[in-house]
PDB file of all heavy atoms in Angstrom:
ATOM      1  N   LEU A 308     -20.133  -2.173  -5.883  1.00 98.00           N
ATOM      2  CA  LEU A 308     -21.417  -2.821  -5.851  1.00 98.00           C
ATOM      3  C   LEU A 308     -22.211  -2.232  -4.571  1.00 98.00           C
ATOM      4  O   LEU A 308     -21.576  -2.037  -3.488  1.00 98.00           O
ATOM      5  CB  LEU A 308     -21.216  -4.315  -5.527  1.00 98.00           C
ATOM      6  CG  LEU A 308     -20.771  -5.120  -6.738  1.00 98.00           C
ATOM      7  CD1 LEU A 308     -20.239  -6.548  -6.291  1.00 98.00           C
ATOM      8  CD2 LEU A 308     -21.827  -5.264  -7.774  1.00 98.00           C
ATOM      9  N   PHE A 309     -23.463  -1.953  -4.745  1.00 98.00           N
ATOM     10  CA  PHE A 309     -24.279  -1.479  -3.693  1.00 98.00           C
ATOM     11  C   PHE A 309     -25.452  -2.432  -3.328  1.00 98.00           C
ATOM     12  O   PHE A 309     -26.428  -2.093  -2.725  1.00 98.00           O
ATOM     13  CB  PHE A 309     -24.961  -0.084  -4.043  1.00 98.00           C
ATOM     14  CG  PHE A 309     -23.891   0.930  -4.495  1.00 98.00           C
ATOM     15  CD1 PHE A 309     -23.436   1.189  -5.737  1.00 98.00           C
ATOM     16  CD2 PHE A 309     -23.320   1.639  -3.444  1.00 98.00           C
ATOM     17  CE1 PHE A 309     -22.541   2.000  -6.055  1.00 98.00           C
ATOM     18  CE2 PHE A 309     -22.345   2.553  -3.743  1.00 98.00           C
ATOM     19  CZ  PHE A 309     -21.835   2.764  -5.126  1.00 98.00           C
ATOM     20  N   ASP A 310     -25.219  -3.655  -3.687  1.00 97.00           N
ATOM     21  CA  ASP A 310     -26.298  -4.687  -3.435  1.00 97.00           C
ATOM     22  C   ASP A 310     -25.815  -5.807  -2.629  1.00 97.00           C
ATOM     23  O   ASP A 310     -24.859  -5.723  -1.959  1.00 97.00           O
ATOM     24  CB  ASP A 310     -26.768  -5.332  -4.880  1.00 97.00           C
ATOM     25  CG  ASP A 310     -25.502  -5.914  -5.589  1.00 97.00           C
ATOM     26  OD1 ASP A 310     -24.464  -6.069  -5.036  1.00 97.00           O
ATOM     27  OD2 ASP A 310     -25.725  -6.299  -6.843  1.00 97.00           O
ATOM     28  N   ALA A 311     -26.590  -6.969  -2.696  1.00 97.00           N
ATOM     29  CA  ALA A 311     -26.313  -8.127  -1.698  1.00 97.00           C
ATOM     30  C   ALA A 311     -24.947  -8.726  -2.069  1.00 97.00           C
ATOM     31  O   ALA A 311     -24.249  -9.185  -1.236  1.00 97.00           O
ATOM     32  CB  ALA A 311     -27.358  -9.078  -1.841  1.00 97.00           C
ATOM     33  N   ASN A 312     -24.450  -8.602  -3.331  1.00 97.00           N
ATOM     34  CA  ASN A 312     -23.195  -9.128  -3.752  1.00 97.00           C
ATOM     35  C   ASN A 312     -22.068  -8.444  -3.001  1.00 97.00           C
ATOM     36  O   ASN A 312     -21.064  -8.918  -2.565  1.00 97.00           O
ATOM     37  CB  ASN A 312     -23.055  -9.156  -5.257  1.00 97.00           C
ATOM     38  CG  ASN A 312     -23.837 -10.226  -5.923  1.00 97.00           C
ATOM     39  OD1 ASN A 312     -23.918 -11.339  -5.270  1.00 97.00           O
ATOM     40  ND2 ASN A 312     -24.324 -10.031  -7.069  1.00 97.00           N
ATOM     41  N   GLY A 313     -22.213  -7.043  -3.054  1.00 97.00           N
ATOM     42  CA  GLY A 313     -21.277  -6.296  -2.373  1.00 97.00           C
ATOM     43  C   GLY A 313     -21.136  -6.529  -0.890  1.00 97.00           C
ATOM     44  O   GLY A 313     -20.085  -6.574  -0.271  1.00 97.00           O
ATOM     45  N   GLU A 314     -22.330  -6.699  -0.235  1.00 97.00           N
ATOM     46  CA  GLU A 314     -22.367  -7.070   1.274  1.00 97.00           C
ATOM     47  C   GLU A 314     -21.672  -8.424   1.348  1.00 97.00           C
ATOM     48  O   GLU A 314     -20.965  -8.648   2.402  1.00 97.00           O
ATOM     49  CB  GLU A 314     -23.961  -7.176   1.596  1.00 97.00           C
ATOM     50  CG  GLU A 314     -24.240  -7.119   2.947  1.00 97.00           C
ATOM     51  CD  GLU A 314     -23.893  -5.913   3.609  1.00 97.00           C
ATOM     52  OE1 GLU A 314     -23.727  -4.799   3.013  1.00 97.00           O
ATOM     53  OE2 GLU A 314     -23.997  -5.868   4.844  1.00 97.00           O
ATOM     54  N   TYR A 315     -21.913  -9.347   0.462  1.00 97.00           N
ATOM     55  CA  TYR A 315     -21.245 -10.674   0.596  1.00 97.00           C
ATOM     56  C   TYR A 315     -19.908 -10.640   0.457  1.00 97.00           C
ATOM     57  O   TYR A 315     -19.137 -11.239   1.353  1.00 97.00           O
ATOM     58  CB  TYR A 315     -21.956 -11.575  -0.571  1.00 97.00           C
ATOM     59  CG  TYR A 315     -21.317 -13.058  -0.538  1.00 97.00           C
ATOM     60  CD1 TYR A 315     -22.052 -13.981   0.142  1.00 97.00           C
ATOM     61  CD2 TYR A 315     -20.197 -13.339  -1.324  1.00 97.00           C
ATOM     62  CE1 TYR A 315     -21.549 -15.289   0.238  1.00 97.00           C
ATOM     63  CE2 TYR A 315     -19.780 -14.650  -1.246  1.00 97.00           C
ATOM     64  CZ  TYR A 315     -20.371 -15.646  -0.438  1.00 97.00           C
ATOM     65  OH  TYR A 315     -19.961 -16.831  -0.430  1.00 97.00           O
ATOM     66  N   LEU A 316     -19.216  -9.822  -0.393  1.00 97.00           N
ATOM     67  CA  LEU A 316     -17.814  -9.729  -0.522  1.00 97.00           C
ATOM     68  C   LEU A 316     -17.309  -9.040   0.759  1.00 97.00           C
ATOM     69  O   LEU A 316     -16.238  -9.451   1.324  1.00 97.00           O
ATOM     70  CB  LEU A 316     -17.529  -8.891  -1.727  1.00 97.00           C
ATOM     71  CG  LEU A 316     -17.777  -9.482  -3.180  1.00 97.00           C
ATOM     72  CD1 LEU A 316     -17.407  -8.437  -4.262  1.00 97.00           C
ATOM     73  CD2 LEU A 316     -16.966 -10.778  -3.272  1.00 97.00           C
ATOM     74  N   LEU A 317     -17.939  -7.933   1.244  1.00 97.00           N
ATOM     75  CA  LEU A 317     -17.532  -7.377   2.510  1.00 97.00           C
ATOM     76  C   LEU A 317     -17.419  -8.396   3.630  1.00 97.00           C
ATOM     77  O   LEU A 317     -16.363  -8.409   4.401  1.00 97.00           O
ATOM     78  CB  LEU A 317     -18.466  -6.210   2.887  1.00 97.00           C
ATOM     79  CG  LEU A 317     -18.386  -5.482   4.164  1.00 97.00           C
ATOM     80  CD1 LEU A 317     -17.110  -4.450   4.011  1.00 97.00           C
ATOM     81  CD2 LEU A 317     -19.600  -4.729   4.575  1.00 97.00           C
ATOM     82  N   LYS A 318     -18.542  -9.072   3.832  1.00 97.00           N
ATOM     83  CA  LYS A 318     -18.528  -9.915   4.996  1.00 97.00           C
ATOM     84  C   LYS A 318     -17.600 -11.254   4.774  1.00 97.00           C
ATOM     85  O   LYS A 318     -16.832 -11.511   5.671  1.00 97.00           O
ATOM     86  CB  LYS A 318     -20.002 -10.544   5.140  1.00 97.00           C
ATOM     87  CG  LYS A 318     -21.017  -9.510   5.488  1.00 97.00           C
ATOM     88  CD  LYS A 318     -20.949  -9.201   7.006  1.00 97.00           C
ATOM     89  CE  LYS A 318     -21.348  -7.786   7.461  1.00 97.00           C
ATOM     90  NZ  LYS A 318     -22.732  -7.381   6.954  1.00 97.00           N
ATOM     91  N   THR A 319     -17.627 -11.832   3.592  1.00 97.00           N
ATOM     92  CA  THR A 319     -16.933 -13.089   3.410  1.00 97.00           C
ATOM     93  C   THR A 319     -15.427 -12.639   3.388  1.00 97.00           C
ATOM     94  O   THR A 319     -14.664 -13.448   3.943  1.00 97.00           O
ATOM     95  CB  THR A 319     -17.400 -13.770   2.064  1.00 97.00           C
ATOM     96  OG1 THR A 319     -18.727 -13.694   1.980  1.00 97.00           O
ATOM     97  CG2 THR A 319     -16.870 -15.147   2.058  1.00 97.00           C
ATOM     98  N   TYR A 323     -12.482  -4.975   6.253  1.00 94.00           N
ATOM     99  CA  TYR A 323     -12.383  -3.815   7.230  1.00 94.00           C
ATOM    100  C   TYR A 323     -11.092  -3.373   7.328  1.00 94.00           C
ATOM    101  O   TYR A 323     -10.053  -4.259   7.336  1.00 94.00           O
ATOM    102  CB  TYR A 323     -13.052  -4.230   8.526  1.00 94.00           C
ATOM    103  CG  TYR A 323     -14.454  -4.701   8.471  1.00 94.00           C
ATOM    104  CD1 TYR A 323     -14.848  -5.921   8.157  1.00 94.00           C
ATOM    105  CD2 TYR A 323     -15.428  -3.716   8.437  1.00 94.00           C
ATOM    106  CE1 TYR A 323     -16.230  -6.294   8.166  1.00 94.00           C
ATOM    107  CE2 TYR A 323     -16.882  -3.974   8.386  1.00 94.00           C
ATOM    108  CZ  TYR A 323     -17.219  -5.377   8.144  1.00 94.00           C
ATOM    109  OH  TYR A 323     -18.492  -5.639   8.071  1.00 94.00           O
ATOM    110  N   CYS A 333     -16.776  -2.506  -1.867  1.00 98.00           N
ATOM    111  CA  CYS A 333     -16.455  -3.797  -2.637  1.00 98.00           C
ATOM    112  C   CYS A 333     -17.053  -3.716  -3.995  1.00 98.00           C
ATOM    113  O   CYS A 333     -18.086  -3.141  -4.174  1.00 98.00           O
ATOM    114  CB  CYS A 333     -16.942  -4.976  -1.832  1.00 98.00           C
ATOM    115  SG  CYS A 333     -16.140  -5.197  -0.228  1.00 98.00           S
TER     116      CYS A 333
END
Side-chain angles (χ1 to χ4, degrees):
L308 292 166
F309 300 94
D310 59 7
N312 284 324
E314 194 71 11
Y315 182 85
L316 293 175
L317 174 77
K318 293 276 151 60
T319 318
Y323 296 91
C333 297

